[in-house]
Amino acid sequence: MSAAPTSSSSPRVLSLRGAKTLPLVKSSSLHFPLKCKFVAKAMSATGIASELAELTAVKPPSHPTYDLKAVIALALSEDAGDQGDVTCLATIPKEMDAEATFIAKENGVIAGISLAEIIFYQVDSSLQVEWSQKDGDLVSKGMQFGKVYGCARSIIVAERVVLNFMQRMSGIATLTKTMAEAAHPACILETRKTAPGLRLVDKWAVLIGGGKNHRLGLFDMVMIKDNHISVAGGVSNALKSVDEFLSKNNLSVPVEVETRTLEEVKEVLKYASENGTSLTRIMLDNMVVPLSNGGLDVSMLKDAVQLINGRFETEASGNVTLETVKKIGETGVTYISSGALTHSVKALDISLKIDTELALQVGRRTNRA
């Protein structure tokens, strides 16, 4: 492969390795103070955090069985099918190199930079990537924040998969940052309402945006919800069964119970006062009521928080939106959980372009740069 070009005002080129270079398009000067050359080993579920330590200050959640490399491989495979990229095969010589630039097309929080490194490496380990931003940084419309150099075919094959992950993660991170700032001093959490197969990726984006992770799955926390309570015959019965199960199996995991009324909160507190319990958090579900005038009644939630009086962590859920989260956060709850962070995400618009100047010209014409 030819050496990666440096950012300058000279024309960007595509080159056939070992052949005469061919002028392609002019490239505006762009300085990249943060240069990351990703070197990967095995992307196992248990080893992913350490592998990414040098790329991001926000490491992905640790999951015992999640195989990020396999998720990436599936995304690449569904794109390539059984023939590969027939357009690249038809139009781009095998030995041609290129330089492509990441451009933000709207304001937001960038996320997925570290994941993009992994994808590029998985497609072609000879690709080189440089970034001017890191995961969690703000980007603005029209900002050029990264470049990838190397085999043109490899860049284009990786392009859509990289962008699909980055755009989704950046959308989650952007919404999370806004919600987290409004919720303070409460902490914002996501839920298990993630895209199938993208649990770790979605939850990683929440961390990048400044939120905290709720349970990763069914295995790392006991969460007694309404259906468990109904089958068990009440809140106290469910709690007793959980305490007995954990004791019998010598398990130590956080325990949360969902409550929907002040009576259920009182029942939980009564049980806890009379029994040794592993309970750590009480969920206060749908205790905020939207009013017809557009306001929000949080009196029930406040009453529940006062009843609990710091004996357990508290988590508000239900009717959590950008418009309501600030008022909910002012009630004194420890956490606020929102499924919307991941199930209703709006992707952040990002592009990866070889002809940067033309892309910016079109973007300005359509008010997207």
Side-chain angles (χ1 to χ4, degrees):
M1 174 181 288
S2 59
T6 57
S7 297
S8 69
S9 57
S10 60
R12 183 188 300 144
V13 298
L14 288 178
S15 64
L16 286 169
R17 277 160 279 186
K20 183 178 179 180
T21 57
L22 304 170
L24 178 65
V25 295
K26 291 184 178 181
S27 174
S28 57
S29 178
L30 181 60
H31 178 57
F32 290 91
L34 303 177
K35 185 169 184 177
C36 300
K37 289 187 178 180
F38 183 68
V39 179
K41 297 173 187 173
M43 293 298 127
S44 65
T46 55
I48 185 68
S50 60
E51 296 293 342
L52 293 168
E54 294 184 4
L55 290 178
T56 177
V58 183
K59 298 175 181 60
S62 179
H63 192 290
T65 61
Y66 195 93
D67 189 343
L68 185 56
K69 186 176 181 179
V71 171
I72 294 169
L74 179 61
L76 292 168
S77 176
E78 68 182 4
D79 228 9
D82 60 351
Q83 296 292 329
D85 186 342
V86 292
T87 311
C88 273
L89 293 173
T91 62
I92 301 175
K94 181 180 179 180
E95 297 300 317
M96 183 164 282
D97 283 350
E99 167 192 323
T101 301
F102 285 93
I103 305 171
K105 300 171 83 171
E106 57 183 321
N107 301 339
V109 175
I110 197 67
I113 282 176
S114 300
L115 184 58
E117 296 266 2
I118 301 171
I119 297 168
F120 281 127
Y121 182 89
Q122 200 157 320
V123 170
D124 182 346
S125 61
S126 68
L127 293 175
Q128 298 180 53
V129 190
E130 296 181 4
W131 307 99
S132 63
Q133 307 298 113
K134 64 182 183 301
D135 281 326
D137 284 350
L138 295 173
V139 293
S140 56
K141 184 168 67 172
M143 179 184 288
Q144 300 173 48
F145 63 89
K147 285 188 177 183
V148 56
Y149 313 100
C151 174
R153 284 186 179 180
S154 297
I155 292 172
I156 294 172
V157 165
E159 173 195 1
R160 178 43 51 196
V161 173
V162 165
L163 289 176
N164 283 350
F165 277 112
M166 287 188 73
Q167 288 178 295
R168 179 176 176 83
M169 290 183 72
S170 297
I172 292 171
T174 300
L175 178 57
T176 299
K177 181 176 176 62
T178 304
M179 294 274 272
E181 290 176 347
H184 185 78
C187 297
I188 197 76
L189 308 171
E190 86 295 84
T191 68
R192 285 168 50 238
K193 297 174 183 177
T194 53
L198 297 182
R199 176 70 55 81
L200 184 140
V201 173
D202 283 1
K203 285 180 173 283
W204 188 5
V206 168
L207 294 179
I208 291 170
K212 293 184 180 295
N213 287 154
H214 211 306
R215 59 177 178 160
L216 287 175
L218 301 174
F219 60 92
D220 57 334
M221 182 184 206
V222 172
M223 190 165 177
I224 310 168
K225 301 196 72 176
D226 51 359
N227 285 335
H228 303 106
I229 292 168
S230 297
V231 174
V235 172
S236 296
N237 286 345
L239 281 168
K240 182 180 179 181
S241 296
V242 165
D243 286 329
E244 290 175 350
F245 174 84
L246 294 179
S247 177
K248 179 180 178 181
N249 292 277
N250 195 28
L251 292 176
S252 178
V253 293
V255 176
E256 179 171 8
V257 63
E258 177 181 320
T259 59
R260 297 156 289 181
T261 66
L262 293 180
E263 288 68 31
E264 285 186 333
V265 173
K266 292 174 183 176
E267 185 178 349
V268 169
L269 295 175
K270 183 176 185 295
Y271 172 87
S273 68
E274 297 174 351
N275 302 273
T277 181
S278 299
L279 181 66
T280 53
R281 186 185 306 174
I282 301 176
M283 177 186 286
L284 308 170
D285 190 44
N286 285 309
M287 293 191 184
V288 295
V289 181
L291 302 175
S292 57
N293 63 5
L296 190 72
D297 182 1
V298 296
S299 58
M300 183 178 177
L301 182 60
K302 282 184 176 180
D303 289 345
V305 171
Q306 289 171 3
L307 279 172
I308 296 165
N309 194 29
R311 283 174 279 183
F312 300 97
E313 295 175 343
T314 52
E315 176 188 333
S317 68
N319 290 313
V320 178
T321 66
L322 279 173
E323 293 71 35
T324 64
V325 69
K326 185 177 189 299
K327 193 166 184 179
I328 294 172
E330 293 170 347
T331 63
V333 292
T334 318
Y335 299 104
I336 303 172
S337 57
S338 171
L341 291 179
T342 55
H343 73 55
S344 299
V345 58
K346 176 185 178 295
L348 191 73
D349 200 357
I350 302 167
S351 63
L352 179 62
K353 297 296 183 183
I354 292 174
D355 191 339
T356 306
E357 287 195 352
L358 180 57
L360 287 172
Q361 179 184 334
V362 173
R364 285 189 288 269
R365 186 177 72 217
T366 56
N367 197 31
R368 296 169 71 196

